[in-house]
């Protein structure tokens, strides 16, 4: 196997010679010295902080080279330096070069959408890893630096690449998808998320549809059949010369999920794709996850992968921390179940998470508790969107609600007294109130935007009630 980058390749791509250093090859690319591995190229980006302040630390941690702006003053201990006018533009150039050097039969999938990007990306990673060398975005590295960083890290032997692409504004996805050049592009769904920066949900749909601009002629534009904006997405795809492929549960989509049966152990369904029917078990519970799995099936089919063998991976893929991870709590002599959704929240994912809570059988966990914190970045409709969750709380037959944050107060006030577990403006006090009322047989689902910090409530519960991971179902 070749190293990720040789010094001479970097010189050719960046158009500058390395200054100093031993000429040792580059084995990774890093923008953060806290996670830098020996052998990495350190890229000094100017973002929240100026990466140039960390170049010395990067070399101390074993960086093989650093990408810095021209004016950077070499420090004692610095190794190979590549001086460029703009480090972000240089990272993009590396990304473009990494994409270009892949074999022509490598296949790339791009994933965007209002919710479900990371989850879908991780499902694709798991499925495609069974079929060949696969490279995928780390965490939610989906923005103007995350996407070129992921590209720059892509080994040349990659057979399958999976890229999460996100946005907060119009015109952000376009340049990213043109770097990624996906063969198949998924829009998981279009919802009223990040409304702050958009005049309408239609405008959000159009911004997501920019991802199709990176597809080749006839590339797969994968769209959720049931989304109200599916027609709009399809029209854009067709105008761009892409091939729309729809997916959905119990609808006449191109890729269909039929006979979905849900339990707390996940979902089972029959996936109809490319003229075949495949029984599929998805270990992550939730109808919305099953829908994302259909998008995955559509992408596997579109890139010519073995769909059946790929989807097999979903039978053993557990949800990540903060996105539905489950753990068993020891409460007295009994048990409770904790569902950690503390990383992210918006109206669509709140409803999905409440539905997943409702799918936990009462026979096993008799009392349903929802700990709900504010959903951020919803713009002027924020209050109505919070209060509007009441019907989802009712439908899920939640027994007790704890609420946290000024907007959730609106929902809390609308609940009958018997369902009011407690309200607090901070995550700390809500954690205490919750812990006091927990008893064996409870299932607790904790969800909010990450900024509300309900992750600390989850951590405190695990600490207090000694947890163990839920055995895979
Ligand atoms: N299709 C979907 N519809 C509604 N909610 C979803 C969907 N897919 C995932 N979610 C939920 O949205 C939250 C965020 O998921 P994640 O995959 O991290 O999305 P993103 O990367 O787009 O922010 C999770 O709680 C997840 O369960
Ligand atoms: Mg994400």
């Amino acid at each position: 196997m070749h190293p990720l980058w040789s010094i001479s390749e970097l010189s050719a791509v960046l158009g500058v010679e390395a200054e100093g250093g031993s000429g040792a090859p580059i084995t990774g690319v890093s923008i953060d010295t806290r996670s830098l591995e020996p052998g990495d190229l350190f890229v000094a980006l100017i973002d929240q902080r100026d990466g140039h302040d960390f170049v010395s630390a990067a070399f101390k941690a074993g960086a093989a080279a650093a990408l810095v702006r021209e004016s950077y003053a070499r420090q004692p201990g610095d190794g190979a330096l590549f001086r460029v006018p703009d480090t972000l533009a240089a990272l993009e150039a590396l990304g473009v070069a990494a994409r270009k050097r892949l074999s022509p039969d490598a296949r790339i999938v791009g994933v965007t959408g209002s919710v479900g990007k990371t989850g879908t990306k991780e499902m694709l990673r798991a499925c495609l890893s069974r079929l060949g060398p696969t490279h995928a975005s780390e965490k939610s590295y989906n923005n103007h630096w995350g996407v070129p960083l992921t590209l720059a890290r892509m080994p040349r032997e990659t057979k399958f690449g999976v890229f999460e692409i996100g946005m907060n504004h119009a015109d952000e996805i376009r340049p990213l998808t043109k770097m990624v050049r996906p063969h198949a592009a998924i829009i998981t769904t279009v919802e009223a998320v990040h409304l702050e920066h958009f005049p309408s949900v239609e405008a959000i749909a159009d911004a997501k549809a920019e991802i199709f601009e990176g597809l080749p002629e006839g590339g797969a534009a994968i769209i959720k059949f049931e989304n109200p904006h599916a027609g709009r997405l399809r029209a854009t795809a067709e105008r761009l010369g892409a091939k729309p492929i729809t997916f959905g549960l119990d609808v006449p989509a191109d890729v269909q999920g039929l006979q979905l049966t849900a339990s707390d152990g996940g979902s089972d369904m029959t996936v109809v794709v490319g003229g075949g029917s495949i029984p599929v078990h998805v270990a992550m519970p939730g109808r919305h996850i099953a829908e994302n799995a259909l998008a995955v099936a559509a992408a596997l089919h579109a890139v010519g992968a073995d769909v059946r063998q790929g989807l097999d991976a979903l039978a053993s893929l557990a949800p990540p921390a903060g996105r539905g991870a489950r753990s068993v709590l020891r409460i007295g002599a009994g048990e409770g179940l904790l569902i950690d959704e503390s990383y992210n929240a918006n109206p669509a994912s709140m409803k999905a998470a409440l539905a997943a809570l409702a799918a936990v059988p009462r026979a096993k966990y008799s009392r349903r508790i929802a700990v709900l914190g504010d959903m951020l970045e919803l713009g002027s409709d924020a209050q109505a969107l919070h209060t509007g969750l009441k019907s989802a709380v009712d439908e899920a037959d939640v027994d007790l609600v704890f609420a946290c944050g000024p907007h959730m107060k609106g929902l809390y006030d609308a609940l009958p007294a018997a369902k009011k577990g407690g309200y607090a403006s901070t995550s700390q006090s809500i954690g205490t109130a919750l812990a006091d009322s927990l008893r064996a047989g409870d299932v607790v689902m904790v969800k909010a935007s990450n900024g509300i910090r309900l992750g600390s409530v989850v951590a405190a519960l695990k600490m207090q009630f000694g947890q163990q991971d839920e055995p895979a179902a």
Side-chain angles (χ1 to χ4, degrees):
M1 227 165 91
H2 295 280
L4 182 61
W5 295 101
S6 68
I7 293 286
S8 58
E9 272 178 305
L10 282 187
S11 295
V13 172
L14 300 172
V16 283
E17 292 299 317
E19 176 195 297
S22 64
I26 308 290
T27 49
V29 181
S30 169
I31 58 161
D32 187 333
T33 52
R34 289 167 298 182
S35 51
L36 183 138
E37 305 265 349
D40 280 358
L41 168 72
F42 176 69
V43 181
L45 289 182
I46 300 168
D47 203 65
Q48 316 265 1
R49 304 183 63 178
D50 185 347
H52 293 86
D53 296 341
F54 300 94
V55 174
S56 293
F59 282 114
K60 268 201 202 94
L67 188 51
V68 294
R69 69 169 166 229
E70 278 152 353
S71 60
Y72 172 76
R74 173 179 282 278
Q75 303 295 311
D78 284 359
L81 295 179
F82 288 94
R83 296 181 182 277
V84 294
D86 177 342
T87 51
L88 177 60
L91 180 64
E92 290 169 1
L94 269 187
V96 168
R99 172 69 183 87
K100 199 167 165 190
R101 69 184 180 177
L102 289 187
S103 141
D105 53 59
R107 285 295 172 268
I108 305 292
V109 183
V111 182
T112 193
S114 299
V115 282
K117 295 181 290 297
T118 301
T120 304
K121 179 255 299 176
E122 289 304 329
M123 285 201 263
L124 275 164
R125 183 209 297 272
C127 294
L128 289 167
S129 294
R130 302 220 160 176
L131 306 171
T134 297
H135 176 72
S137 313
E138 190 180 321
K139 300 179 191 162
S140 280
Y141 283 7
N142 64 26
N143 65 359
H144 63 284
W145 57 258
V147 172
L149 175 65
T150 305
L151 280 166
R153 288 172 164 179
M154 182 162 63
R156 64 195 86 214
E157 299 83 3
T158 297
K159 174 75 206 301
F160 297 112
V162 188
F163 290 82
E164 176 170 338
I165 306 182
M167 60 105 190
N168 293 311
H169 302 90
D171 303 324
E172 286 177 353
I173 288 182
R174 180 174 301 110
L176 300 177
T177 188
K178 288 188 175 172
M179 286 178 226
V180 169
R181 291 193 288 123
H183 298 90
I186 297 174
I187 299 180
T188 55
T189 182
V190 175
E191 309 281 347
V193 179
H194 297 304
L195 264 182
E196 268 180 353
H197 305 299
F198 289 92
S200 63
V201 189
E202 285 74 23
I204 295 181
D206 292 344
K208 305 278 180 214
E210 289 172 22
I211 197 173
F212 299 149
E213 295 184 35
L215 289 170
E217 183 71 30
I222 300 173
I223 297 166
K224 181 169 162 176
F225 184 93
E226 279 181 293
N227 194 269
H229 308 283
R232 198 175 177 94
L233 300 177
R234 170 187 281 277
T236 304
E238 282 169 347
R239 179 169 53 73
L240 293 166
K243 181 174 178 230
I245 299 174
T246 55
F247 65 92
L249 280 170
D250 293 319
V251 286
D254 298 315
V255 176
Q256 301 176 25
L258 301 175
Q259 286 139 5
L260 177 83
T261 52
S263 69
D264 64 330
S267 306
D268 287 283
M269 62 181 164
T270 302
V271 176
V272 181
V273 52
S277 278
I278 307 172
V280 174
H281 177 68
V282 185
M284 281 189 265
R287 186 182 168 91
H288 57 302
I289 303 294
E291 287 178 326
N292 296 347
L294 294 172
V296 168
L300 294 176
H301 181 64
V303 301
D306 184 326
V307 183
R308 183 180 293 262
Q309 207 185 330
L311 291 180
D312 236 12
L314 301 184
S316 52
L317 187 67
R323 294 189 184 77
R326 292 175 177 219
S327 38
V328 172
L329 303 175
R330 307 237 153 275
I331 305 172
E335 282 183 356
L337 178 67
L338 174 65
I339 307 177
D340 173 13
E341 288 267 3
S342 59
Y343 182 74
N344 211 327
N346 55 60
S349 69
M350 272 290 187
K351 284 174 198 157
L354 285 163
L357 172 63
V360 176
R362 292 246 190 229
K364 205 161 164 200
Y365 296 103
S366 54
R367 190 168 72 151
R368 292 179 189 155
I369 300 180
V371 184
L372 307 178
D374 275 11
M375 307 177 283
L376 303 178
E377 295 182 58
L378 292 179
S380 56
D381 287 343
Q383 193 50 60
L385 290 167
H386 281 78
T387 315
L389 289 174
K390 176 152 188 308
S391 55
V393 170
D394 288 344
E395 232 163 85
D397 203 7
V398 175
D399 299 300
L400 210 51
V401 174
F402 290 82
C404 183
H407 286 307
M408 274 304 173
K409 181 84 168 52
L411 171 68
Y412 190 74
D413 289 343
L415 296 171
K419 293 202 175 188
K420 287 184 173 164
Y423 169 81
S425 53
T426 67
S427 58
Q428 205 168 12
S429 1
I430 207 70
T432 316
L434 171 67
D436 286 347
S437 80
L438 275 194
R439 54 186 202 221
D442 285 347
V443 46
V444 186
M445 190 277 288
V446 180
K447 190 164 182 71
S449 286
N450 199 23
I452 305 301
R453 306 198 167 281
L454 288 190
S456 63
V457 171
V458 169
L461 283 179
K462 287 181 174 178
M463 188 85 109
Q464 182 171 352
F465 295 101
Q467 53 106 22
Q468 61 186 47
D469 290 335
E470 195 194 29

